[in-house]
Amino acid sequence: MNGAENGRDDQRDAPGAGTGSPDGWDRLWTPHRMAYIKGEGKPTGSRPEDGCPFCRAPALADPEGLVVARGKSAYAVLNLYPYNSGHLMVCPYRHVSEYTGLDEDETADVAALTRAGIRALTAAYRPQGFNVGMNLGTAAGAGIAAHLHQHIVPRWGGDANFMPVIGQTKVLPEMLEQTREKLADHWPRE
């Protein structure tokens, strides 16, 4: 079935028309995602000097590195490719890949920053729930397996609506810089 046959005359003149079999699907093009798909900005190896973004971010000014809060041995940073608005990650400063490789102070700092992150997200956005966890190793889904990081993803009923499920697209209501500022402002002062 082509565009004209299913009532979609506009597809006959669309770029690429006639280059394949029409499938009746609409496309929402998101070319900005190609940088992520191609791995731009991802480390070239497993060492800190191979371009680890989790080693690079804390060396930058907080707004530039999207750092929300700093602890003694770990910090909280926004995800550049968030699942939802407010998607935080807690990372040790030390370049370590295994949870069991953290020392006691790092483990405590990651836990404290995770708790504070949940509190800040709750105060700033009032989510209805959270996904909190780590993907340890590439086989477990870690995009950057060489530097441990814990995700804190705020969730709302209906946030997995048709856009991400069918359109494979997330709709984010604010820029990352705005999210960083809002969360920093709501960060607990313990």
Side-chain angles (χ1 to χ4, degrees):
M1 177 183 271
N2 67 31
E5 292 169 341
N6 68 12
R8 309 248 349 244
D9 294 329
D10 59 326
Q11 285 187 346
R12 283 185 288 180
D13 299 323
T19 59
S21 300
D23 59 11
W25 290 84
D26 287 327
R27 305 289 192 286
L28 179 61
W29 301 106
T30 56
H32 63 281
R33 298 267 311 149
M34 190 53 70
Y36 178 74
I37 292 166
K38 287 183 174 180
E40 293 176 19
K42 285 186 99 173
T44 57
S46 61
R47 301 170 307 162
E49 59 269 18
D50 292 332
C52 177
F54 301 133
C55 290
R56 188 173 48 244
L60 301 171
D62 289 356
E64 185 181 350
L66 297 176
V67 174
V68 177
R70 294 173 184 266
K72 293 177 185 168
S73 56
Y75 68 99
V77 63
L78 288 180
N79 190 323
L80 278 177
Y81 304 100
Y83 295 122
N84 277 338
S85 289
H87 182 166
L88 282 172
M89 295 180 294
V90 176
C91 309
Y93 291 117
R94 188 167 60 95
H95 189 84
V96 58
S97 62
E98 297 295 327
Y99 185 72
T100 55
L102 295 176
D103 64 31
E104 287 185 29
D105 291 337
E106 289 167 329
T107 302
D109 214 12
V110 166
L113 286 166
T114 299
R115 185 176 57 221
I118 291 169
R119 288 180 177 151
L121 285 162
T122 298
Y125 294 102
R126 300 284 181 220
Q128 297 169 320
F130 292 93
N131 290 121
V132 177
M134 299 179 192
N135 299 324
L136 301 175
T138 304
I144 299 173
H147 196 133
L148 177 93
H149 53 284
Q150 176 154 276
H151 296 267
I152 307 170
V153 182
R155 301 299 305 267
W156 294 267
D159 66 11
N161 60 32
F162 77 95
M163 288 298 285
V165 174
I166 295 173
Q168 297 178 342
T169 302
K170 275 292 192 177
V171 178
L172 302 172
E174 63 188 2
M175 301 300 290
L176 290 174
E177 295 81 4
Q178 294 168 313
T179 302
R180 193 212 70 81
E181 188 174 330
K182 186 181 286 185
L183 288 175
D185 289 346
H186 284 88
W187 202 264
R189 311 287 185 236
E190 294 180 27

